[in-house]
């Protein structure tokens, strides 16, 4: 290999990237349409939409905690991953034939249960298959392709609806087509990863494991608390979309704005993963928090639809600078308990995002969007100043 050339990522990691792309392609064909479907077709209200997201995310967070512990057993990872995708592929199209809002809520919860079941073992398998010095790139690839799928899905749904080629129910049912390919690729990735994982177990990485991996300590508490704090204070996407609409972005254009945000997220995920390997996950994550604080304050001060587009697209950079480094940091400290480490990470951050979303939503409704965004930005600034102390404590934990 030429000097300075980057080593290729394992083939299974690339396959998981394609799995994420196609799965999010199918999922995001549906998700932006659920508000219109629940309220316009099924006659539900805002309370039903709140219950939809709240129940789904809480269920996923709980399952992730349990799935992480199970994923410490390497033989269970493959079946859990495939079963998790199978649940989503089967359940999502059924939403098209529902007749009441509560049915959509129930199916959405089951869909997220599948996500909770597959995510910790998938991330654990990616971490085990990838050399430590390349994990930022590996998770950057997975997150980047995931966000790429979230670009294509809404665009296809928007085109089908705008052209009159299909109605809401037909578009939702069509999500089954990419779902079948997801299952095939997931099974292929899992089967291909088993032999390589056994080789990793027989010939472990030459880099000695840090002392924190000798016993079960998936992530030093100070670091996990800092990451969780960011999920607690970060403004939910739904509220940023609502802020954009208040600033003049038409509802009919929201799917295109959502797709454009994911273009930024996808591109920045590849760059953020590479930066994590060069600078370190802690430093890259810190940079993401700083960028978020600046952009959230900008969104609070925005006064036009054009400004809303600019600030929202800028916020897409935050995912690229935080998601991959977070996972690389978890993999570093989880050691031989990758499943438990990722289960704890996904479960705790999911729960904190739910709590933070409810709290910021209440501030948004009572005091206005600008106040909620400034509060969120202020929390980001505080986290930026606290993180160096947290990182120092984590190194000595």
């Amino acid at each position: 290999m030429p000097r300075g050339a980057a080593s290729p990522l394992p083939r299974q990691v690339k396959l998981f990237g394609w799995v994420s792309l196609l799965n999010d392609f199918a999922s995001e064909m549906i998700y932006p349409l659920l508000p219109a479907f629940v309220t316009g077709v099924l006659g539900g209200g805002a309370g039903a939409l709140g219950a939809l997201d709240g129940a789904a995310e809480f269920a996923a967070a709980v399952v992730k905690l349990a799935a992480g512990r199970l994923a410490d057993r390497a033989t269970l990872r493959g079946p859990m991953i495939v079963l998790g995708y199978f649940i989503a592929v089967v359940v999502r199209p059924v939403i098209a034939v529902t007749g009441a809002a509560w049915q959509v809520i129930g199916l959405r919860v089951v869909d997220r249960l599948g996500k909770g079941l597959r995510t910790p073992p998938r991330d654990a398998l990616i971490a085990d298959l990838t050399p430590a010095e390349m994990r930022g790139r590996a998770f950057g690839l997975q997150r980047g392709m995931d966000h790429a799928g979230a670009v294509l899905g809404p665009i296809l749904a928007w085109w089908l609806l705008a052209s009159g080629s299909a109605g809401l129910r037909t578009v939702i049912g069509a999500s089954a087509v990419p779902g079948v390919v997801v299952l095939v690729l997931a099974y292929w990735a899992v089967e291909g990863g088993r032999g390589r994982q056994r080789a990793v177990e027989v010939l472990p990485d030459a880099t000695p494991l840090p002392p924190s991996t000798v016993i079960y300590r998936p992530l030093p508490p100070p670091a996990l608390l800092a990451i969780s704090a960011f999920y607690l204070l970060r403004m939910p996407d739904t509220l940023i979309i609502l802020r954009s609409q208040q600033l003049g972005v038409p509802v009919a254009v929201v799917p295109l704005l959502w797709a454009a945000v994911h273009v930024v997220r996808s591109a920045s995920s590849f760059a953020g993963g590479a930066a994590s390997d060069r600078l370190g996950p802690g430093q890259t994550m810190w940079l993401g928090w700083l960028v978020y604080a600046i952009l959230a304050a900008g969104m609070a001060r925005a006064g036009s639809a054009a400004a809303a587009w600019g600030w929202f697209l800028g916020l897409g950079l935050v995912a690229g600078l935080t998601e991959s480094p977070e996972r690389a940091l978890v993999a570093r400290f989880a050691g031989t308990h990758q499943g438990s480490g990722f289960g704890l990470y996904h479960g705790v951050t999911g729960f904190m995002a739910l709590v933070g979303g409810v709290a910021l939503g209440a501030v948004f409704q009572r005091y206005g969007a600008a106040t909620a965004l400034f509060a969120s930005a202020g929390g980001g600034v505080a986290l930026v100043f606290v993180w160096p102390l947290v990182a120092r404590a984590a190194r000595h934990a």
Side-chain angles (χ1 to χ4, degrees), residues 127-137 205 207 276-277 328 331-332:
D128 277 348
L129 294 175
T130 308
E133 67 276 8
M134 297 169 57
R135 283 174 178 162
R137 283 175 53 207
D205 191 274
T207 303
S276 176
D277 289 335
R332 173 187 295 180

Side-chain angles (χ1 to χ4, degrees), residues 144 147-148 150-151 154-155 237 240-241 244 253-269 299 308-320:
H147 289 305
V151 174
I155 289 178
D237 288 331
I240 298 177
I241 291 174
S244 300
V253 180
V254 166
L256 297 182
L257 173 58
W258 186 241
V261 169
H262 279 285
V263 170
V264 178
R265 288 178 173 175
S266 179
S268 62
S269 291
M299 191 69 171
W309 270 84
W311 290 112
F312 202 173
L313 291 177
L315 283 166
L317 295 170
V318 177

Side-chain angles (χ1 to χ4, degrees), residues 21 25 29 147-157 259:
L21 184 149
F25 176 89
M29 285 179 65
H147 289 305
V151 174
L152 300 175
I155 289 178
L156 177 61

Side-chain angles (χ1 to χ4, degrees), residues 16 26 42 59 112 150 167 304 347:
F16 277 124
L42 302 181
R112 305 311 282 179
S304 66

Side-chain angles (χ1 to χ4, degrees), residues 209-353:
L209 293 173
S212 59
T213 62
V214 177
I215 58 176
Y216 170 59
R217 295 179 64 184
L219 192 64
L224 179 59
L225 286 174
I227 293 173
S228 300
F230 179 64
Y231 281 82
L232 178 68
L233 61 86
R234 188 177 63 181
M235 183 70 69
D237 288 331
T238 51
L239 295 181
I240 298 177
I241 291 174
L242 182 57
R243 170 63 168 166
S244 300
Q245 292 175 196
Q246 291 178 344
L247 293 172
V249 177
V251 175
V253 180
V254 166
L256 297 182
L257 173 58
W258 186 241
V261 169
H262 279 285
V263 170
V264 178
R265 288 178 173 175
S266 179
S268 62
S269 291
F270 294 103
S276 176
D277 289 335
R278 291 196 306 269
L279 305 176
Q283 291 89 329
T284 308
M285 194 168 60
W286 178 89
L287 180 61
W289 296 344
L290 178 61
V291 169
Y292 174 80
I294 294 171
L295 295 176
M299 191 69 171
R301 293 178 57 86
S304 66
W309 270 84
W311 290 112
F312 202 173
L313 291 177
L315 283 166
L317 295 170
V318 177
L321 292 171
T322 58
E323 292 177 347
S324 303
E326 287 169 5
R327 288 160 173 78
L329 191 63
V330 173
R332 173 187 295 180
F333 287 110
T336 56
H337 295 87
Q338 293 289 339
S340 296
F342 280 106
L344 183 64
Y345 158 73
H346 285 295
V348 172
T349 55
F351 178 75
M352 296 300 279

Side-chain angles (χ1 to χ4, degrees), residues 9-256:
L9 291 170
R11 181 172 62 88
Q12 289 73 28
V13 173
K14 297 176 182 178
L15 282 174
F16 277 124
W18 284 106
V19 169
S20 294
L21 184 149
L22 289 170
N23 184 69
D24 238 47
F25 176 89
S27 176
E28 295 298 328
M29 285 179 65
I30 295 176
Y31 185 72
L33 302 179
L34 287 181
F37 185 67
V38 170
T39 59
V41 177
L42 302 181
L49 289 176
L52 178 72
D53 268 353
E57 294 307 320
F58 179 75
V62 172
V63 172
K64 285 173 182 176
L65 288 170
R69 285 300 185 98
L70 291 175
D72 279 338
R73 299 173 61 181
T75 55
L76 294 179
R77 289 178 183 172
M80 291 170 66
I81 293 170
V82 174
L83 178 59
Y85 282 113
F86 176 79
I87 291 172
V89 168
V90 171
V91 165
R92 281 194 297 247
V94 179
I95 295 176
V97 298
T98 54
W102 68 265
Q103 295 171 347
V104 177
I105 294 172
L107 290 170
R108 178 67 175 169
V109 167
V110 175
D111 177 20
R112 305 311 282 179
L113 290 177
K115 179 178 178 63
L117 182 64
R118 69 182 179 257
T119 301
R122 182 204 63 203
D123 286 354
L125 188 55
I126 290 174
D128 277 348
L129 294 175
T130 308
E133 67 276 8
M134 297 169 57
R135 283 174 178 162
R137 283 175 53 207
F139 286 115
L141 174 71
Q142 188 272 319
R143 299 308 303 154
M145 297 189 75
D146 184 275
H147 289 305
V151 174
L152 300 175
I155 289 178
L156 177 61
W158 170 81
W159 179 80
L160 290 173
L161 293 171
S163 65
S165 303
L168 279 174
R169 291 187 184 272
T170 302
V171 172
I172 293 172
S175 67
V177 177
V180 173
V181 185
V182 166
L183 283 179
V184 173
L185 290 179
Y187 181 79
W188 188 12
V190 164
E191 286 299 302
R194 285 179 178 174
R196 185 177 179 110
Q197 190 174 22
R198 283 193 292 269
V200 171
E201 292 169 358
V202 174
L203 296 172
D205 191 274
T207 303
L209 293 173
S212 59
T213 62
V214 177
I215 58 176
Y216 170 59
R217 295 179 64 184
L219 192 64
L224 179 59
L225 286 174
I227 293 173
S228 300
F230 179 64
Y231 281 82
L232 178 68
L233 61 86
R234 188 177 63 181
M235 183 70 69
D237 288 331
T238 51
L239 295 181
I240 298 177
I241 291 174
L242 182 57
R243 170 63 168 166
S244 300
Q245 292 175 196
Q246 291 178 344
L247 293 172
V249 177
V251 175
V253 180
V254 166
L256 297 182

